[in-house]
Amino acid sequence: MFGSLFRNLPTITKNLLIINVLVWIAQIILPKIGIDLTELLGLHFWMASDFNPAQIVTYMFLHSDSDFTHLFFNMFSLLMFGPLLERTLGEKRFLFYYITCGIGAALVQELVWQFTWKDIFAPMFANQAGWSMAEAHQALDMAIAQGQNIPALNALLTVGASGGIFGILLAFGMLFPNLPLYIMFIPVPIKAKYMVWGYGAIEFFFGISGTMSSVAHFAHLGGMLFGLLLLLYWKKKGNISGGIY
């Protein structure tokens, strides 16, 4: 049954599933021969020594190699919502939309790091050197101004397809707003548009409150934001299927 379902998936959705699973397997196996894909291809802060511009794209095909649920829930969402959206938008447009949302999520994450990295690392430096927070901030500013490498910045790292997935969720909710969906632990169907905005509100709350700080909540919102802008652009051009409300 699963084999038949998989064979009937549209091309882009199927290949995205395959690529993400294969890369995840490679993330587990390759470190045994000294190749750490997470460090090489995961998204680093742009001021970190390990940053590479290509990571803005490559990071979205990696997942946590220590937590299978990260991969599972992203791929489950892709499997549930991707096929209908791909058939609606067409293969090329669906792929372009997915990649754009992933890149948008990366850019938003970089922006968040830009405004928060000193607050993240200043306490550590202040504690080590016996400085006040103001002195630690000043020292970090001076180090950057002098072009010094700060190895700790390489700790800012994110991976995952969630930016593209949240973009898909947004598009699904906008193109099929009144389609009833069943969500785990909720016994009644919820219209797609309410599910999408509910997800967005939860991510925003988690982001500003610092809840589950290991998750890139603002990157998820970035995927939704770039998806919204692209959908509105296509709507303005009059060349998008579905019923945007």
Side-chain angles (χ1 to χ4, degrees), residues 74-130:
N74 275 343
M75 294 304 99
F76 181 77
S77 298
L78 178 60
L79 181 63
M80 291 296 100
F81 301 104
L84 180 55
L85 193 59
E86 180 177 347
R87 293 185 177 106
T88 301
L89 296 177
E91 291 180 4
K92 292 181 179 179
R93 184 176 292 182
F94 175 73
L95 179 60
F96 179 78
Y97 177 83
Y98 180 86
I99 297 297
T100 298
C101 291
I103 291 174
L107 295 177
V108 169
Q109 184 59 48
E110 291 288 345
L111 186 64
V112 169
W113 279 335
Q114 178 66 36
F115 285 102
T116 60
W117 73 272
K118 284 188 287 187
D119 291 328
I120 294 172
F121 293 109
M124 178 180 67
F125 284 99
N127 183 59
Q128 290 177 348

Side-chain angles (χ1 to χ4, degrees), residues 38-47 50-62 98-111 113 157-164 219 223 226:
T38 303
E39 287 296 327
L40 289 173
L41 303 181
L43 181 67
H44 288 82
F45 181 34
W46 72 272
M47 288 197 297
D50 287 348
F51 172 75
N52 184 314
Q55 294 167 357
I56 293 174
V57 175
T58 59
Y59 89 101
M60 70 181 78
F61 298 101
L62 284 75
Y98 180 86
I99 297 297
T100 298
C101 291
I103 291 174
L107 295 177
V108 169
Q109 184 59 48
E110 291 288 345
L111 186 64
W113 279 335
L157 173 70
T158 192
V159 295
S162 298
F226 274 68

Side-chain angles (χ1 to χ4, degrees), residues 7 17 27 33 38 79 99 108 126 131-132 136 148 171-172 188 207 214 225:
R7 284 193 298 272
L17 287 166
Q27 284 179 262
I33 59 172
T38 303
L79 181 63
I99 297 297
V108 169
W131 294 334
S132 66
Q148 297 179 23
F172 195 91
V188 295
S214 61
L225 173 62

